[in-house]
Amino acid sequence: MSLHVDITKKFKGFSLQVKFSTDKERLGLLGASGCGKSMTLKCIAGIEKPDEGSIILNDRVLFDSQKKIDLSPQQRKAGYLFQNYALFPNMTVEENIGCGLKGSKKDKKPRVDQMIELLHIKDLGKRYPMQLSGGQQQRVALARILAYEPDVLMFDEPFSALDAYLKENLQQELLMVLKECHKDIIIVSHNRDEIYGLCEKIAIINSGNLVLTGNTADIFQKPVKLAAARLTGCKNISSAKKVSEYEVEALEWGMVLKTEERVSEHTRYVGIRAHDIMPAEEITEENSTPCIPFRFTDSPFEKNIILSSNSGKLWWKISKAYWTNTLKEKIPEYIKLPKASLMLLE
């Protein structure tokens, strides 16, 4: 393993406990604001000190509470991209990129030029940060980190200050750069779409505790834990009671649902993503229920239909093209919750 983190840090009314490993891959830390994601990065970088545990990078011990090892940030070779990019306002782009390198300006120039070429910022070398857009500042900050040749790259909400259009473009550019790095990479975000698009693996943190780690696509498809389902965007979750090996009663929805997955004794909730709900022709179809609209809301390309279901609500998301062309702008009499799309949660 390249990076191993197993730490505890206590705060007043809050305790951070995380344990994960990476091996030259992109790991996303996903969680709500204030859950401990950024604190985890700061502990790895040496900006904050854990109370207990260890941090090992490429077989080098950065921190070990029992052995009394606590390397300084300068000794750790950890590249940390802050939310505000932390560029020096009185330095040009070239000077910002080279500021962490040793040697004379002449010695630094080849490495600086290499980073400018890699991040496609050739025309910006003589400019100052205040003359740059948010996207350009991000590229300069990334170039500065890469010039330093860190052993691990860490990004703290890298797109939080950017508008939606710029964010999507930069996300693709950043992914191309990161794929060529062959380093341990950790990306912190509360945005599930960013994590899904950038990271091969995911670690979900809820209130300071790491609740689930694994392959990103697998966890989005089968989140297993209630907190993981919520943080990956599932809007439809009901408490559940096991009826049989392949049936659960969704208590808030007033339905007994047939499942494709075997129901565990640990199952406490059932969920389905809003876009997986389907119209049904008859109430006799498997996992069907009357379609009773409660409220409509629109986004630019989707129609959100909130349905009443017993004492709870169901969110149904459909594309506007489907609403217009297939449903002919009419609510069906029934909907169904396909058993292959149901998520059994602990």
Side-chain angles (χ1 to χ4, degrees), residues 286-303:
E286 190 174 71
N287 295 348
S288 295
T289 187
C291 184
I292 306 171
F294 174 73
R295 186 185 303 134
F296 295 86
T297 63
D298 283 357
S299 60
F301 306 106
E302 287 183 319
K303 195 163 195 71

Side-chain angles (χ1 to χ4, degrees), residues 94 97 101 108-119 121-122:
E94 291 176 347
I97 295 172
L101 303 176
K108 297 177 181 181
K109 191 175 188 309
R111 183 65 176 165
V112 170
D113 289 345
Q114 183 183 8
M115 292 301 101
I116 285 175
E117 180 76 25
L118 178 66
L119 274 300
I121 47 177
K122 278 185 177 181

Side-chain angles (χ1 to χ4, degrees), residues 86-189:
L87 297 175
F88 295 108
N90 60 333
M91 291 185 181
T92 66
V93 165
E94 291 176 347
E95 291 168 340
N96 263 287
I97 295 172
C99 68
L101 303 176
K102 295 180 180 179
S104 66
K105 186 176 179 179
K106 183 179 179 181
D107 294 332
K108 297 177 181 181
K109 191 175 188 309
R111 183 65 176 165
V112 170
D113 289 345
Q114 183 183 8
M115 292 301 101
I116 285 175
E117 180 76 25
L118 178 66
L119 274 300
H120 308 291
I121 47 177
K122 278 185 177 181
D123 300 330
L124 308 179
K126 304 300 181 184
R127 295 189 192 180
Y128 290 88
M130 65 178 296
Q131 298 172 307
L132 306 177
S133 68
Q136 290 169 337
Q137 288 183 29
Q138 185 193 62
R139 291 186 208 176
V140 174
L142 181 55
R144 183 175 63 183
I145 289 174
L146 292 175
Y148 173 65
E149 296 187 279
D151 291 332
V152 59
L153 285 169
M154 300 186 294
F155 299 83
D156 192 353
E157 300 281 2
F159 305 105
S160 61
L162 306 177
D163 62 62
Y165 174 76
L166 185 58
K167 182 188 297 185
E168 291 181 6
N169 284 320
L170 276 179
Q171 187 172 316
Q172 294 306 312
E173 291 181 17
L174 179 61
L175 181 59
M176 291 174 62
V177 173
L178 297 184
K179 282 182 176 180
E180 298 299 318
C181 284
H182 307 295
K183 296 178 183 290
D184 291 288
I185 297 165
I186 304 176
I187 300 173
V188 155
S189 180

Side-chain angles (χ1 to χ4, degrees), residues 51 89 96 112 146 210 215 217 235 247 262 270 322 331 333:
D51 295 318
N96 263 287
V112 170
L146 292 175
L210 194 152
N215 177 275
K235 292 185 178 296
E247 286 183 313
R262 184 186 294 272
V270 61
Y322 185 83
I331 295 290
E333 190 173 354

